[in-house]
Amino acid sequence: MDNVIIAKDLSLSYSNNETIINKATFSISSGSFVFITGASGSGKSTLLKSLFGALNPKQGSLVVGGVELNGVSRSKLNFLRRHLGIVFQDYKLVKEWSIEKNIMLPLLINGYVKSVALNQVEKLLKHVRLNHQTGKYPFELSGGEQQRVAMARALAHNPILILADEPTGNLDEYSSQLIWNLLEGANNQLKTTVIVVTHHIPKSLNVDYKHFHIEYGSIHEVR
């Protein structure tokens, strides 16, 4: 099985003074479901940011989807991001756009014609159980509903890799379980690689997973 992520001696930092991730070496196989845990401030979100190019490596090599991110060009980074789905804890929906338009964004970026994109959005809204909210704007939805819109957006273009940062951290039990079911389904049915930063690994998840833990700047696999 090919590796979708390969890190070698990877160091990450927001300044020249403090190294948050220190010379980490690891790989993640295509089609894996991976949890990343660690104490608050350990570097979980920092690592996730590096995986979609929001933070450049300080040292070492980081290859995601065949693209080396240390010194990556803007064109190659944009190419990679068109194949990623990203779910943030704070949703990052465009407030001025309807939920349909929010979900449609990655489809239009990837060149889908509008009629096909609209059909896909309709299916996704049913999938995340929000078809009764069509025409609404993010501020009209609950936090759990907004995260389900964000999840639909991440799934819209059938990405090779989904990156989720505490996707259920602020959600009610119903929405949390739905998010986990969607991530599990993407992994089991579509063979999408899923990487989730979380404080708590759910016990109910029906998927084989890997578990990486970050502590004192080091990343190690928990077996």
Side-chain angles (χ1 to χ4, degrees):
M1 187 179 292
D2 294 336
N3 290 320
V4 69
I5 295 173
I6 304 172
K8 294 181 180 178
D9 295 324
L10 174 66
S11 293
L12 300 173
S13 175
Y14 291 105
S15 69
N16 293 326
N17 300 323
E18 182 183 7
T19 298
I20 298 170
I21 301 296
N22 187 32
K23 295 184 178 179
T25 296
F26 62 92
S27 61
I28 294 174
S29 300
S30 179
S32 297
F33 199 114
V34 177
F35 286 105
I36 299 172
T37 62
S40 296
S42 61
K44 303 185 300 296
S45 295
T46 298
L47 177 62
L48 208 69
K49 286 179 181 178
S50 74
L51 298 180
F52 62 90
L55 180 66
N56 293 325
K58 180 181 179 181
Q59 292 180 339
S61 173
L62 177 60
V63 178
V64 178
V67 176
E68 169 61 68
L69 293 181
N70 196 347
V72 67
S73 67
R74 174 54 60 179
S75 61
K76 284 190 176 181
L77 182 57
N78 288 339
F79 171 80
L80 172 64
R81 287 178 174 173
R82 287 201 295 271
H83 295 84
L84 304 181
I86 306 171
V87 184
F88 301 95
Q89 186 175 2
D90 58 353
Y91 325 132
K92 295 200 184 307
L93 300 175
V94 181
K95 296 178 182 179
E96 298 80 13
W97 290 0
S98 68
I99 60 175
E100 291 95 329
K101 190 172 180 181
N102 269 282
I103 296 169
M104 198 184 301
L105 179 60
L107 294 167
L108 298 180
I109 289 173
N110 278 274
Y112 287 72
V113 298
K114 192 171 182 179
S115 59
V116 173
L118 284 168
N119 187 53
Q120 176 77 334
V121 169
E122 184 179 351
K123 291 178 181 177
L124 284 162
L125 282 172
K126 290 179 181 177
H127 197 47
V128 299
R129 302 178 192 175
L130 286 174
N131 50 306
H132 63 293
Q133 299 284 32
T134 54
K136 295 286 184 70
Y137 288 78
F139 68 87
E140 298 179 278
L141 306 182
S142 69
E145 289 171 332
Q146 289 184 60
Q147 188 62 303
R148 282 147 60 189
V149 173
M151 190 71 219
R153 180 183 60 190
L155 293 168
H157 54 303
N158 297 318
I160 62 168
L161 172 62
I162 291 176
L163 303 171
D165 192 0
E166 294 281 3
T168 62
N170 298 320
L171 305 189
D172 59 87
E173 186 176 348
Y174 174 81
S175 291
S176 293
Q177 190 57 55
L178 184 55
I179 294 297
W180 289 124
N181 290 345
L182 291 166
L183 290 170
E184 181 183 318
N187 181 252
N188 282 334
Q189 297 165 27
L190 303 176
K191 306 306 177 187
T192 307
T193 307
V194 177
I195 300 177
V196 181
V197 162
T198 185
H199 285 292
H200 303 289
I201 297 176
K203 296 179 180 179
S204 61
L205 204 64
N206 184 29
V207 64
D208 291 329
Y209 63 83
K210 286 190 172 185
H211 177 193
F212 289 97
H213 188 74
I214 302 177
E215 191 171 20
Y216 302 118
S218 296
I219 301 174
H220 64 271
E221 186 174 354
V222 179
R223 299 183 184 275

mmCIF file of all heavy atoms in Angstrom, residues 12-38:
data_model
loop_
_atom_site.group_PDB
_atom_site.id
_atom_site.type_symbol
_atom_site.label_atom_id
_atom_site.label_comp_id
_atom_site.label_asym_id
_atom_site.label_seq_id
_atom_site.Cartn_x
_atom_site.Cartn_y
_atom_site.Cartn_z
ATOM 1 N N LEU A 12 8.827 21.478 13.076
ATOM 2 C CA LEU A 12 7.856 22.545 12.840
ATOM 3 C C LEU A 12 7.979 23.595 13.917
ATOM 4 O O LEU A 12 8.158 23.280 15.090
ATOM 5 C CB LEU A 12 6.430 21.984 12.834
ATOM 6 C CG LEU A 12 6.103 20.916 11.789
ATOM 7 C CD1 LEU A 12 4.714 20.339 12.040
ATOM 8 C CD2 LEU A 12 6.191 21.496 10.380
ATOM 9 N N SER A 13 7.849 24.854 13.507
ATOM 10 C CA SER A 13 7.991 25.960 14.447
ATOM 11 C C SER A 13 7.268 27.183 13.902
ATOM 12 O O SER A 13 7.165 27.372 12.692
ATOM 13 C CB SER A 13 9.470 26.292 14.642
ATOM 14 O OG SER A 13 9.630 27.438 15.454
ATOM 15 N N TYR A 14 6.758 28.020 14.833
ATOM 16 C CA TYR A 14 6.161 29.293 14.441
ATOM 17 C C TYR A 14 7.173 30.438 14.536
ATOM 18 O O TYR A 14 6.901 31.544 14.148
ATOM 19 C CB TYR A 14 4.957 29.617 15.322
ATOM 20 C CG TYR A 14 3.782 28.702 15.081
ATOM 21 C CD1 TYR A 14 3.464 27.706 15.990
ATOM 22 C CD2 TYR A 14 2.990 28.829 13.951
ATOM 23 C CE1 TYR A 14 2.382 26.862 15.779
ATOM 24 C CE2 TYR A 14 1.908 27.995 13.718
ATOM 25 C CZ TYR A 14 1.606 27.011 14.646
ATOM 26 O OH TYR A 14 0.546 26.178 14.429
ATOM 27 N N SER A 15 8.332 30.139 15.107
ATOM 28 C CA SER A 15 9.373 31.157 15.224
ATOM 29 C C SER A 15 10.720 30.447 15.234
ATOM 30 O O SER A 15 10.799 29.230 15.241
ATOM 31 C CB SER A 15 9.201 31.961 16.516
ATOM 32 O OG SER A 15 9.492 31.149 17.639
ATOM 33 N N ASN A 16 11.772 31.215 15.246
ATOM 34 C CA ASN A 16 13.107 30.610 15.289
ATOM 35 C C ASN A 16 13.487 30.134 16.686
ATOM 36 O O ASN A 16 14.485 29.451 16.874
ATOM 37 C CB ASN A 16 14.145 31.630 14.805
ATOM 38 C CG ASN A 16 13.976 31.949 13.334
ATOM 39 O OD1 ASN A 16 13.602 31.086 12.548
ATOM 40 N ND2 ASN A 16 14.242 33.192 12.957
ATOM 41 N N ASN A 17 12.671 30.500 17.674
ATOM 42 C CA ASN A 17 13.055 30.224 19.060
ATOM 43 C C ASN A 17 12.531 28.900 19.603
ATOM 44 O O ASN A 17 13.191 28.233 20.385
ATOM 45 C CB ASN A 17 12.580 31.364 19.972
ATOM 46 C CG ASN A 17 13.188 32.698 19.573
ATOM 47 O OD1 ASN A 17 14.346 32.747 19.179
ATOM 48 N ND2 ASN A 17 12.412 33.764 19.656
ATOM 49 N N GLU A 18 11.321 28.529 19.192
ATOM 50 C CA GLU A 18 10.688 27.361 19.793
ATOM 51 C C GLU A 18 10.318 26.341 18.734
ATOM 52 O O GLU A 18 9.558 26.627 17.810
ATOM 53 C CB GLU A 18 9.430 27.768 20.564
ATOM 54 C CG GLU A 18 8.747 26.603 21.253
ATOM 55 C CD GLU A 18 7.459 27.022 21.942
ATOM 56 O OE1 GLU A 18 7.043 28.180 21.764
ATOM 57 O OE2 GLU A 18 6.873 26.191 22.639
ATOM 58 N N THR A 19 10.833 25.119 18.871
ATOM 59 C CA THR A 19 10.479 24.029 17.968
ATOM 60 C C THR A 19 9.344 23.239 18.604
ATOM 61 O O THR A 19 9.483 22.721 19.715
ATOM 62 C CB THR A 19 11.685 23.111 17.705
ATOM 63 O OG1 THR A 19 12.720 23.873 17.076
ATOM 64 C CG2 THR A 19 11.301 21.946 16.813
ATOM 65 N N ILE A 20 8.222 23.129 17.891
ATOM 66 C CA ILE A 20 7.044 22.457 18.433
ATOM 67 C C ILE A 20 7.072 20.958 18.112
ATOM 68 O O ILE A 20 6.796 20.125 18.972
ATOM 69 C CB ILE A 20 5.766 23.118 17.899
ATOM 70 C CG1 ILE A 20 5.723 24.578 18.366
ATOM 71 C CG2 ILE A 20 4.517 22.373 18.370
ATOM 72 C CD1 ILE A 20 4.646 25.401 17.724
ATOM 73 N N ILE A 21 7.386 20.624 16.873
ATOM 74 C CA ILE A 21 7.610 19.231 16.463
ATOM 75 C C ILE A 21 9.079 19.103 16.113
ATOM 76 O O ILE A 21 9.603 19.882 15.313
ATOM 77 C CB ILE A 21 6.728 18.846 15.258
ATOM 78 C CG1 ILE A 21 5.241 19.018 15.576
ATOM 79 C CG2 ILE A 21 7.039 17.424 14.809
ATOM 80 C CD1 ILE A 21 4.714 18.109 16.660
ATOM 81 N N ASN A 22 9.748 18.120 16.710
ATOM 82 C CA ASN A 22 11.202 18.032 16.601
ATOM 83 C C ASN A 22 11.641 16.734 15.932
ATOM 84 O O ASN A 22 11.520 15.653 16.505
ATOM 85 C CB ASN A 22 11.831 18.150 17.991
ATOM 86 C CG ASN A 22 13.343 18.247 17.927
ATOM 87 O OD1 ASN A 22 13.897 18.792 16.985
ATOM 88 N ND2 ASN A 22 14.007 17.708 18.932
ATOM 89 N N LYS A 23 12.099 16.853 14.694
ATOM 90 C CA LYS A 23 12.710 15.744 13.947
ATOM 91 C C LYS A 23 11.843 14.482 13.970
ATOM 92 O O LYS A 23 12.302 13.395 14.324
ATOM 93 C CB LYS A 23 14.110 15.442 14.490
ATOM 94 C CG LYS A 23 15.086 16.594 14.270
ATOM 95 C CD LYS A 23 16.495 16.236 14.730
ATOM 96 C CE LYS A 23 17.458 17.387 14.456
ATOM 97 N NZ LYS A 23 18.839 17.098 14.909
ATOM 98 N N ALA A 24 10.593 14.646 13.571
ATOM 99 C CA ALA A 24 9.649 13.521 13.542
ATOM 100 C C ALA A 24 9.776 12.751 12.237
ATOM 101 O O ALA A 24 9.883 13.342 11.162
ATOM 102 C CB ALA A 24 8.224 14.032 13.711
ATOM 103 N N THR A 25 9.763 11.433 12.337
ATOM 104 C CA THR A 25 9.784 10.562 11.168
ATOM 105 C C THR A 25 8.631 9.570 11.285
ATOM 106 O O THR A 25 8.549 8.830 12.264
ATOM 107 C CB THR A 25 11.114 9.814 11.058
ATOM 108 O OG1 THR A 25 12.184 10.767 10.838
ATOM 109 C CG2 THR A 25 11.095 8.831 9.902
ATOM 110 N N PHE A 26 7.738 9.594 10.308
ATOM 111 C CA PHE A 26 6.595 8.680 10.318
ATOM 112 C C PHE A 26 6.007 8.624 8.916
ATOM 113 O O PHE A 26 6.312 9.447 8.051
ATOM 114 C CB PHE A 26 5.526 9.141 11.319
ATOM 115 C CG PHE A 26 4.919 10.484 11.009
ATOM 116 C CD1 PHE A 26 3.770 10.588 10.236
ATOM 117 C CD2 PHE A 26 5.502 11.653 11.482
ATOM 118 C CE1 PHE A 26 3.214 11.821 9.941
ATOM 119 C CE2 PHE A 26 4.954 12.896 11.190
ATOM 120 C CZ PHE A 26 3.800 12.978 10.412
ATOM 121 N N SER A 27 5.155 7.639 8.691
ATOM 122 C CA SER A 27 4.449 7.543 7.407
ATOM 123 C C SER A 27 3.024 7.077 7.665
ATOM 124 O O SER A 27 2.739 6.415 8.668
ATOM 125 C CB SER A 27 5.158 6.569 6.453
ATOM 126 O OG SER A 27 5.198 5.265 7.000
ATOM 127 N N ILE A 28 2.130 7.434 6.753
ATOM 128 C CA ILE A 28 0.725 7.056 6.838
ATOM 129 C C ILE A 28 0.309 6.467 5.501
ATOM 130 O O ILE A 28 0.463 7.100 4.452
ATOM 131 C CB ILE A 28 -0.149 8.275 7.200
ATOM 132 C CG1 ILE A 28 0.181 8.752 8.625
ATOM 133 C CG2 ILE A 28 -1.631 7.940 7.077
ATOM 134 C CD1 ILE A 28 -0.523 10.025 9.035
ATOM 135 N N SER A 29 -0.191 5.252 5.534
ATOM 136 C CA SER A 29 -0.572 4.548 4.316
ATOM 137 C C SER A 29 -1.875 5.087 3.752
ATOM 138 O O SER A 29 -2.765 5.503 4.502
ATOM 139 C CB SER A 29 -0.741 3.046 4.609
ATOM 140 O OG SER A 29 0.457 2.482 5.090
ATOM 141 N N SER A 30 -1.988 5.039 2.434
ATOM 142 C CA SER A 30 -3.226 5.423 1.774
ATOM 143 C C SER A 30 -4.364 4.525 2.248
ATOM 144 O O SER A 30 -4.207 3.310 2.360
ATOM 145 C CB SER A 30 -3.052 5.288 0.259
ATOM 146 O OG SER A 30 -4.236 5.627 -0.414
ATOM 147 N N GLY A 31 -5.500 5.132 2.572
ATOM 148 C CA GLY A 31 -6.652 4.373 3.045
ATOM 149 C C GLY A 31 -6.703 4.155 4.537
ATOM 150 O O GLY A 31 -7.619 3.502 5.034
ATOM 151 N N SER A 32 -5.733 4.712 5.270
ATOM 152 C CA SER A 32 -5.696 4.546 6.726
ATOM 153 C C SER A 32 -6.678 5.484 7.419
ATOM 154 O O SER A 32 -7.072 6.517 6.871
ATOM 155 C CB SER A 32 -4.291 4.839 7.266
ATOM 156 O OG SER A 32 -3.342 3.941 6.757
ATOM 157 N N PHE A 33 -7.048 5.106 8.636
ATOM 158 C CA PHE A 33 -7.780 5.996 9.547
ATOM 159 C C PHE A 33 -6.833 6.228 10.713
ATOM 160 O O PHE A 33 -6.407 5.285 11.381
ATOM 161 C CB PHE A 33 -9.067 5.337 10.037
ATOM 162 C CG PHE A 33 -10.079 6.301 10.595
ATOM 163 C CD1 PHE A 33 -11.287 6.497 9.961
ATOM 164 C CD2 PHE A 33 -9.819 7.032 11.755
ATOM 165 C CE1 PHE A 33 -12.232 7.391 10.459
ATOM 166 C CE2 PHE A 33 -10.743 7.931 12.259
ATOM 167 C CZ PHE A 33 -11.964 8.104 11.611
ATOM 168 N N VAL A 34 -6.474 7.485 10.964
ATOM 169 C CA VAL A 34 -5.421 7.809 11.923
ATOM 170 C C VAL A 34 -5.929 8.833 12.929
ATOM 171 O O VAL A 34 -6.524 9.849 12.559
ATOM 172 C CB VAL A 34 -4.173 8.375 11.207
ATOM 173 C CG1 VAL A 34 -3.104 8.774 12.219
ATOM 174 C CG2 VAL A 34 -3.622 7.360 10.214
ATOM 175 N N PHE A 35 -5.679 8.559 14.201
ATOM 176 C CA PHE A 35 -5.926 9.531 15.258
ATOM 177 C C PHE A 35 -4.596 10.119 15.717
ATOM 178 O O PHE A 35 -3.606 9.398 15.867
ATOM 179 C CB PHE A 35 -6.613 8.884 16.456
ATOM 180 C CG PHE A 35 -8.056 8.566 16.226
ATOM 181 C CD1 PHE A 35 -8.462 7.261 16.010
ATOM 182 C CD2 PHE A 35 -9.013 9.571 16.223
ATOM 183 C CE1 PHE A 35 -9.792 6.958 15.801
ATOM 184 C CE2 PHE A 35 -10.350 9.278 16.017
ATOM 185 C CZ PHE A 35 -10.746 7.962 15.800
ATOM 186 N N ILE A 36 -4.605 11.428 15.961
ATOM 187 C CA ILE A 36 -3.450 12.110 16.544
ATOM 188 C C ILE A 36 -3.888 12.709 17.871
ATOM 189 O O ILE A 36 -4.811 13.527 17.919
ATOM 190 C CB ILE A 36 -2.913 13.208 15.612
ATOM 191 C CG1 ILE A 36 -2.455 12.603 14.278
ATOM 192 C CG2 ILE A 36 -1.752 13.951 16.279
ATOM 193 C CD1 ILE A 36 -2.082 13.629 13.228
ATOM 194 N N THR A 37 -3.253 12.281 18.951
ATOM 195 C CA THR A 37 -3.604 12.774 20.281
ATOM 196 C C THR A 37 -2.398 13.457 20.915
ATOM 197 O O THR A 37 -1.279 13.384 20.411
ATOM 198 C CB THR A 37 -4.083 11.631 21.193
ATOM 199 O OG1 THR A 37 -3.011 10.676 21.355
ATOM 200 C CG2 THR A 37 -5.297 10.930 20.617
ATOM 201 N N GLY A 38 -2.651 14.085 22.047
ATOM 202 C CA GLY A 38 -1.605 14.780 22.778
ATOM 203 C C GLY A 38 -2.238 15.826 23.663
ATOM 204 O O GLY A 38 -3.391 16.231 23.461
#
